[in-house]
Amino acid sequence: MQHQMWERLDWVCKEQLLTTMVHEWWDNGECEEAPSELPLFLKPYTNKFCTQQGANCLATVVYAMSEGKQRWFIDEWIHQKTFVEKLKQYNYRPTNADNLQIGDVVVWHDDNGIIQHAAYFIGRNLFFNKHGQTIFNPWKLLSKEQLYKEWNHLKAIVYRQEEN
């Protein structure tokens, strides 16, 4: 909806439209409490809503992989090709390891190899995550069980950063 169209609507219509949008897109808010050892670069975003539209899970993970050094990523929408390039740039490679390590990235692919979701492992069985790309989808910490349950219909691949 364009600004001019919005301005022409009466308040009742605006309220109905926003209520409908919130009902359809609002995240249920379930999240895990941040542990005391949460990295400083994640603290400003953990269990918080965005202030602008567009940020997606891939951007969230790239921001985390950069350890906050690439601040602008957190607010962006990133395409799968860019995400794959950033995995390579930060020296992340698929691993067959069963145990997750802090800094691992889990990527969920569909049957066509299209990335549908990604999350960043912070330890203590928790992931830094973002479902969706609207302001109604917060960055939040989710348990491994909750995240894997949500995406269990897809193939999960763990990426780990290799030493240079």
Side-chain angles (χ1 to χ4, degrees), residues 17-68:
L17 183 61
L18 287 174
T19 302
T20 301
M21 286 175 53
V22 167
H23 178 71
E24 289 179 12
W25 292 346
W26 192 271
D27 189 279
N28 66 12
E30 292 177 8
C31 59
E32 300 295 326
E33 195 170 319
S36 59
E37 67 274 9
L38 181 72
L40 288 176
F41 65 90
L42 294 179
K43 286 186 179 188
Y45 304 102
T46 299
N47 301 333
K48 303 267 174 41
F49 285 94
C50 312
T51 58
Q52 58 189 17
Q53 300 282 15
N56 66 359
C57 64
L58 303 182
T60 298
V61 170
V62 171
Y63 169 78
M65 289 185 325
S66 80
E67 297 179 345

Side-chain angles (χ1 to χ4, degrees), residues 143-158:
S143 70
K144 178 182 176 186
E145 293 76 24
Q146 186 177 2
L147 196 57
Y148 274 73
K149 181 180 177 186
E150 176 105 15
W151 297 98
N152 69 356
H153 62 287
L154 300 170
K155 180 181 179 185
I157 299 173
V158 176

Side-chain angles (χ1 to χ4, degrees), residues 1 12 36 40 42 47 50 52-53 64 76 82 88 91 96 101 116 141 160:
M1 174 168 288
V12 173
S36 59
L40 288 176
L42 294 179
N47 301 333
C50 312
Q52 58 189 17
Q53 300 282 15
E76 296 298 316
T82 303
K88 290 176 188 173
N91 214 22
N96 292 328
Q101 294 180 5
Q116 299 297 318
L141 297 183
R160 182 166 292 158

Side-chain angles (χ1 to χ4, degrees), residues 96-112:
N96 292 328
D98 290 333
N99 61 325
L100 290 171
Q101 294 180 5
I102 293 173
D104 282 353
V105 172
V106 180
V107 177
W108 286 267
H109 294 261
D110 65 18
D111 291 336
N112 297 316

